[in-house]
Amino acid sequence: MDRRQNEPSEVAEDATEDTLPDAPPWVTQDLIDYTIQVWQPRYETPLSDADAIEIIAAAYELLRAIAGDD
């Protein structure tokens, strides 16, 4: 899933260009790239797009829990 800007997408034809498989529809490649940029200095091994999606999803769930959103 480590797609970069100049590589072809594996996204289904009916999805929008910025939608990624295994990610909520609001997660864009730009958000994934930014997440990797921010978090990579804290990891010894290179982060993948899948790693970034896990970080984003965990942060989202944490914020939902703090907000008391079911």
Side-chain angles (χ1 to χ4, degrees):
M1 184 143 124
D2 296 339
R3 183 175 67 87
R4 298 292 173 221
Q5 288 180 347
N6 295 330
E7 295 179 12
S9 173
E10 296 175 2
V11 177
E13 290 179 20
D14 59 344
T16 63
E17 183 176 324
D18 284 344
T19 304
L20 301 166
D22 302 325
W26 50 268
V27 174
T28 64
Q29 188 64 45
D30 287 340
L31 178 57
I32 290 170
D33 293 341
Y34 181 73
T35 301
I36 291 172
Q37 177 186 357
V38 168
W39 285 95
Q40 187 59 71
R42 293 157 179 85
Y43 286 83
E44 291 181 14
T45 58
L47 294 172
S48 67
D49 285 1
D51 295 329
I53 291 170
E54 284 186 43
I55 292 167
I56 293 164
Y60 175 75
E61 290 303 320
L62 175 62
L63 292 173
R64 285 186 60 196
I66 292 170
D69 192 17
D70 294 330

